[in-house]
Structures are given as C-alpha cells and as structure tokens.
Amino acid sequence: MRCRNGSLVTLFCLAAFFSLSWYTAWYRDKEYGMDSYEKQFLELQQRLFHAEQENQKRSRDLSTVLDEIKRAVAEKRNAFENHTVEEIKWKVLNMTSKLPMQFTSIYMFLPHLLGHEDSLQPNVHYGHGKTGASIVIGIPTVKRDKQSYLMDTLSSLFLEMSAAEKEDCVVIVFIAEVNAQYVNELADNIKNNFAQEIQSGVLEIISPPSSFYPDFATIKETFGDSKDRVKWRTKQNLDYSFLMLYAQPKGTYYLQLEDDIVAKPDYFQSIKEFATQQTSDDWLILEFSQLGFIGKLFKCKDLPHIAEFFLMFYKDKPIDWLLDHYLWVKVCNPEKDSKHCDRQKSNLRIRYRPSLFQHVGTHSSLAGKIQNLKDKDFDKRALHKPHLNPPAKLSTSLKVYQQYSLERAYMGEECFWSFSPVAGDYILFEFTETLQLEGYLFRSGNIEHPGDKLFNTTVQALPAEHYGIIQNFVQSYSYILFHTGKFQNGIAEGKISSSLGKIKAIRLKILTESPVWALLSEVRT
C-alpha cells in the first residue's frame, strides 16, 4: 500500500499498515500455539498409555494377592470346620467364661485348638486349687532318656522351705507329656514321695490335654538347628506358656524353675524380700540365676502379656531369646545404640547375687544332649562333710572317677565318685584294729549331684568273732547284715548294738545295677 502525503490519508495508511502487521503476528502465534497444544496432547496421551500399563500390572499383582487370600481363607475354613459362626465367636470372644486362663487371643496363635473343646483345660492330677500365695513356683518336666532329676529338685525346694513358707507358696509340676500311662505313673510317684505336700495343697501336678500340641512335623527349621532341636525348643515355648497361664491367678509372683536344680537355704525368704524391696514397680524380671530360664521371677499380673508374646513367636526362637526380645520391644529405641538399649533393659531385668539356684542336670531334656552348665555365681555349700575316722584299709570294685578316690573321702578331703555300679560291687572299710563301734553314717549324693546316690545297697559288718545267727542280725557268709543297714533316699544310718562286739570291717554291698553314678559325700564310722 502506498500512502500519499496528507494528514487524513496518512493516518489511514498508518492504521492499515499496523492492522496488517498485527494480523500477521497473531496468525504466526496461532500456528505456534497449535503446535504446542498438539505436543502437550501427545505427551498426555503417552502418559495415559503408561498409566494403563501400570494399572494392568497392579491388577495382576492384586489378582495374585487375592488368590493367596482365598487360599488362606480356605485353610482357615478347614480349621474352623464343623463350627458355627456363633460357636467360633463364643470361643474367641468369650472363652474366659470357660477357661481358667485369662487369655482371649490364644486361638489366633494356636488355631489347631479350635477343634477341641477342652484343649486349654489342664488335666489336674493332684491339687486343691490353692490361690492367694505370695510366690507360685512353676516346674515343667518331660521324660528324659537317661536320668530324671525331678524328685531331687522337689526335695531340695521343700527341704529349704519352712512350714510358714509352704503355706505362702504353691509349687506346680507340669508334666509336659501326653502319654497317659507315663503321666499317671509319674504323678503317682510324686504323690507317694510328697504325700504331705499334696495333702496340704502346696504341691499341684498338672498335664496338658493330648490336643494341646500342634503337628510339629510342619515346623520350619531355622538357625541351622536340626528338626529334633527345633521341635524341642518349640514345644518348650508352648510348655512355659501353658504353665504361666495356669499359674497366673494363683499368686502375686511367679518363679520359673526347671526340673534339674538345687536351691540354696532360705531361698524363699530371699526372693520375697528382694521383690518387695524394689523401689519401683517398673521391673519385669528379677533374676535369681544367670542360667537360661532358671530362677526368673515375674509379677503374676504380667504373665498374660508375656505368654502372649511367647505364643506369637513360639515357632521362631528359643524361650530365652524371646524373653530378651520382649524387653527390647518394651524399652529399646532403634535410633539408639546397643549400649543405650542394654541400659534401658537393665531397669526391667534386675539381677540378684549370689545365685539362689544351681543347675545340676547332665542329661538334657533334648535327647542325646549333654549339658554341663554351672552357675558360677551360685553360693556353694560344702560338697562333702569330713569326719575323723579310725585308720583303715580301703578297697572297692567300683571304677573311680578322676581324683575322687575312696581314700580322700574317708579322710574328709573330698567326696568319693565312681561310674555306675552293677550288682555285686562293693566298698570295703577294713579297720587296722578291731573296734567297738557305736554307729555308722553313709550319705550319697551332694548338692551339685543329688541324683548320684546309692540305691538298693546294704551295710554289712564283719564281727571280730564268729556269732552265727543272733537276734536282730542276719548272717551273710561271714558278714552280718544290719536290719537298718539299707540305703534309703541315698542315706544309710544306724546304731550298732554292743552285743555284736568288736568290728573288723564294714562293707557296702550293691545288690542291683544302678542307672546313675555313685557319689559318697559323707563317711562316718
């Protein structure tokens, strides 16, 4: 466009020129904008495509998870077989109306129990249902392949307990076996040996129903342990939990022991005083032995929570590991170091010294395992008692163990210890001079080896002159057998009548084979 000079025409030309320039610029911007929107649209389309692929992947994952859930539901349905919804609801939510154990979530951890009405009801063989005790003592015991220490453990506990302390205590022996014949025989044996304690209610004997234990063949092996060991430690976790829950309503404190220990004198009073003297109620465990699960004291009110934790992980780890994990969960901060954690746990786990219980079992409840565990903090009493005995020549057919000779025992320097006796074995004391003896005492076993006693063994005397058959004595060849000269519960003690005259020798004669070693801790002639 060409504009001539003139104001009006000039203005018109300028306006037309600018309008055309603006339109040209606008049109170019429009074309550029269309390209930009198209590019954004393509990007959006690509994102939607990727999102659709991701959703398809997640859908496949969800389908897999749903299949797993369906499988789990099917397994649970089998576990709940033959039970109505109302029955299951009653078992899980209202089982405390039927059970003595205040523990409503146990079916979640042990679903195999749902098929058995009385799966958590213990078989009470002997007991008066005593409650209100200061200390409840729990002792689980199982059948051992070699040697049982249970009777010696109970003897040690009751021997060191006064009459008043027995009234303030309940001892529960949990026979953790389901073989009815074995359980009944052991229960009757305990009753026969501790009739007074059964009658007074201080001693109770229980066992689990046969349906209590799961199928141990399905337990997964962990930590490189053998299948037998995994089964052993898994069953042990269940045994401790069952016993804790039964004991919970019976007293103020619960003391966990094992069936192969000995107790220090005045242990009951020491435990009670130490517990009541704690300045804070925050503690969870008071330890009266440094070994395993021996001598651990809990508040009975804490037992349901502790047992619940054990049952949550009973297949995974041993009981002492689980106990330490329980403390870790309670007080340890994962953002702090292990030293801080140990300090925090020490406020919940308080150690008493010296130890009040010593482990004496050699043969573990795990078949084939030898376990020589000793508590170094245990305040030992003398393992032998010396006496001034007359000079004598000593001999024995028994095989002596290491330095524990008959000569040292007779001199009061050490106990006499030998391998397992057999029928016909003997221990002979031949006096240098004939003596008029007033009596004798032979004590077998000691505090660390209470089971190594002489069984079915007689005490015989060789008179200086031949007496034949006389009143109150029976002649055995040239030796005289005392009517009172027989070992009872590991001890032979009696007086010697002056009518017998002087004695040339005394002989201990073993009549039958013994399943244990023989140990003489006291010899007095």
Side-chain angles (χ1 to χ4, degrees):
M1 178 181 292
R2 185 176 180 183
C3 296
R4 293 179 293 180
N5 293 334
S7 60
L8 182 60
V9 176
T10 301
L11 289 172
F12 175 79
C13 287
L14 287 172
F17 174 76
F18 283 118
S19 296
L20 183 60
S21 298
W22 174 83
Y23 176 79
T24 301
W26 173 83
Y27 186 80
R28 288 176 178 170
D29 289 343
K30 183 179 179 182
E31 282 188 335
Y32 177 78
M34 288 295 291
D35 291 341
S36 177
Y37 290 145
E38 185 177 0
K39 187 180 294 184
Q40 291 179 13
F41 177 77
L42 290 174
E43 289 178 355
L44 178 60
Q45 188 179 31
Q46 192 174 13
R47 287 197 204 100
L48 288 173
F49 176 74
H50 288 306
E52 184 178 2
Q53 286 187 320
E54 185 66 25
N55 284 337
Q56 289 176 352
K57 181 178 180 297
R58 291 183 179 180
S59 178
R60 290 193 297 270
D61 292 342
L62 284 173
S63 179
T64 302
V65 172
L66 285 173
D67 290 340
E68 289 294 319
I69 292 175
K70 289 177 182 178
R71 184 186 60 78
V73 169
E75 290 180 356
K76 291 298 181 184
R77 186 178 293 115
N78 293 333
F80 284 74
E81 188 178 23
N82 299 326
H83 292 272
T84 66
V85 173
E86 288 301 317
E87 286 176 325
I88 294 170
K89 181 179 178 181
W90 179 88
K91 284 179 178 294
V92 176
L93 300 180
N94 194 35
M95 74 172 190
T96 53
S97 64
K98 182 107 183 255
L99 300 174
M101 305 178 181
Q102 306 302 309
F103 191 59
T104 57
S105 58
I106 194 168
Y107 286 125
M108 298 179 187
F109 312 122
L110 306 174
H112 68 279
L113 299 184
L114 279 169
H116 307 278
E117 284 294 322
D118 298 321
S119 53
L120 293 174
Q121 293 282 355
N123 301 315
V124 180
H125 299 271
Y126 298 104
H128 299 318
K130 182 177 177 181
T131 59
S134 290
I135 300 177
V136 183
I137 300 176
I139 306 173
T141 186
V142 296
K143 185 178 181 180
R144 297 175 187 258
D145 289 344
K146 293 289 184 179
Q147 180 179 356
S148 174
Y149 307 93
L150 177 62
M151 299 302 175
D152 294 318
T153 294
L154 293 174
S155 295
S156 176
L157 291 175
F158 290 129
L159 180 64
E160 307 298 351
M161 201 183 293
S162 67
E165 289 170 344
K166 289 181 180 180
E167 292 180 2
D168 198 24
C169 178
V170 179
V171 177
I172 304 168
V173 174
F174 176 53
I175 306 175
E177 299 287 351
V178 293
N179 183 302
Q181 180 179 353
Y182 173 79
V183 171
N184 291 330
E185 287 178 356
L186 179 56
D188 290 341
N189 191 19
I190 297 171
K191 179 195 173 186
N192 293 335
N193 281 275
F194 302 95
Q196 184 176 353
E197 286 76 15
I198 292 286
Q199 184 63 33
S200 66
V202 67
L203 178 59
E204 295 188 9
I205 306 171
I206 66 172
S207 66
S210 58
S211 58
F212 174 65
Y213 298 108
D215 181 7
F216 290 111
T218 63
I219 302 298
K220 182 180 179 181
E221 297 174 26
T222 55
F223 302 111
D225 287 342
S226 66
K227 183 173 285 292
D228 287 341
R229 187 176 182 87
V230 172
K231 175 185 175 181
W232 170 72
R233 75 180 198 219
T234 299
K235 179 181 177 297
Q236 194 176 60
N237 290 341
L238 292 173
D239 293 340
Y240 283 122
S241 300
F242 190 101
L243 182 52
M244 283 181 169
L245 294 171
Y246 176 79
Q248 188 270 329
K250 290 183 169 291
T252 304
Y253 303 109
Y254 174 76
L255 178 66
Q256 183 68 64
L257 293 178
E258 294 183 3
D259 64 349
D260 53 354
I261 60 95
V262 291
K264 183 183 175 184
D266 301 321
Y267 74 92
F268 188 93
Q269 188 63 26
S270 298
I271 291 173
K272 191 173 178 180
E273 288 179 355
F274 190 68
T276 56
Q277 289 172 1
Q278 295 303 309
T279 57
S280 171
D281 194 47
D282 293 338
W283 62 270
L284 282 171
I285 310 166
L286 300 182
E287 295 188 298
F288 297 92
S289 170
Q290 68 171 351
L291 298 178
F293 216 46
I294 298 173
K296 304 298 184 279
L297 189 79
F298 307 89
K299 292 178 285 239
C300 283
K301 66 181 182 180
D302 292 335
L303 291 180
H305 303 293
I306 295 170
E308 183 176 13
F309 188 87
F310 289 163
L311 290 174
M312 272 193 277
F313 304 102
Y314 77 95
K315 299 178 182 179
D316 300 313
K317 292 186 177 182
I319 191 75
D320 48 343
W321 291 14
L322 292 180
L323 185 60
D324 187 71
H325 291 331
Y326 182 73
L327 299 179
W328 192 98
V329 170
K330 281 283 188 183
V331 296
C332 289
N333 186 338
E335 297 180 357
K336 303 283 187 179
D337 60 17
S338 59
K339 291 183 179 179
H340 179 270
C341 180
D342 290 340
R343 287 195 298 269
Q344 294 299 108
K345 287 192 295 185
S346 67
N347 295 324
L348 303 184
R349 189 173 193 161
I350 302 172
R351 182 85 165 84
Y352 176 93
R353 286 184 174 84
S355 297
L356 299 181
F357 304 99
Q358 178 64 288
H359 178 262
V360 297
T362 302
H363 301 283
S364 171
S365 56
L366 176 61
K369 180 183 178 184
I370 302 298
Q371 188 166 257
N372 293 311
L373 293 176
K374 295 299 176 187
D375 191 331
K376 296 179 181 180
D377 288 338
F378 184 72
D379 187 17
K380 294 184 179 181
R381 291 183 290 173
L383 300 180
H384 66 279
K385 187 173 181 179
H387 289 283
L388 183 61
N389 291 308
K393 178 184 176 182
L394 312 175
S395 59
T396 180
S397 61
L398 293 170
K399 184 178 180 181
V400 180
Y401 176 65
Q402 293 185 357
Q403 77 276 12
Y404 301 98
S405 66
L406 183 61
E407 288 76 14
R408 296 189 67 188
Y410 192 74
M411 297 298 293
E413 298 174 356
E414 183 60 270
C415 59
F416 167 68
W417 207 3
S418 72
F419 294 92
S420 301
V422 297
D425 276 332
Y426 66 89
I427 300 173
L428 180 62
F429 308 90
E430 296 182 273
F431 303 115
T432 304
E433 297 180 1
T434 57
L435 300 171
Q436 186 78 48
L437 298 178
E438 296 181 355
Y440 58 87
L441 170 63
F442 300 98
R443 187 184 306 275
S444 60
N446 62 18
I447 190 170
E448 287 198 350
H449 302 279
D452 289 355
K453 296 177 181 177
L454 287 170
F455 300 97
N456 207 5
T457 301
T458 59
V459 182
Q460 304 170 346
L462 177 64
E465 300 180 13
H466 179 71
Y467 279 83
I469 305 297
I470 60 175
Q471 188 178 8
N472 296 327
F473 302 97
V474 178
Q475 187 176 16
S476 175
Y477 298 101
S478 56
Y479 280 87
I480 300 293
L481 172 63
F482 297 107
H483 277 189
T484 58
K486 189 172 183 179
F487 277 78
Q488 300 288 342
N489 196 25
I491 301 173
E493 183 176 17
K495 294 182 178 180
I496 300 177
S497 173
S498 59
S499 62
L500 194 58
K502 292 185 176 182
I503 302 296
K504 176 61 179 174
I506 288 182
R507 182 175 67 179
L508 307 184
K509 186 68 176 293
I510 296 158
L511 305 181
T512 58
E513 182 177 356
S514 175
V516 296
W517 290 13
L519 186 152
L520 275 178
S521 56
E522 186 174 2
V523 177
R524 189 187 70 200
T525 58

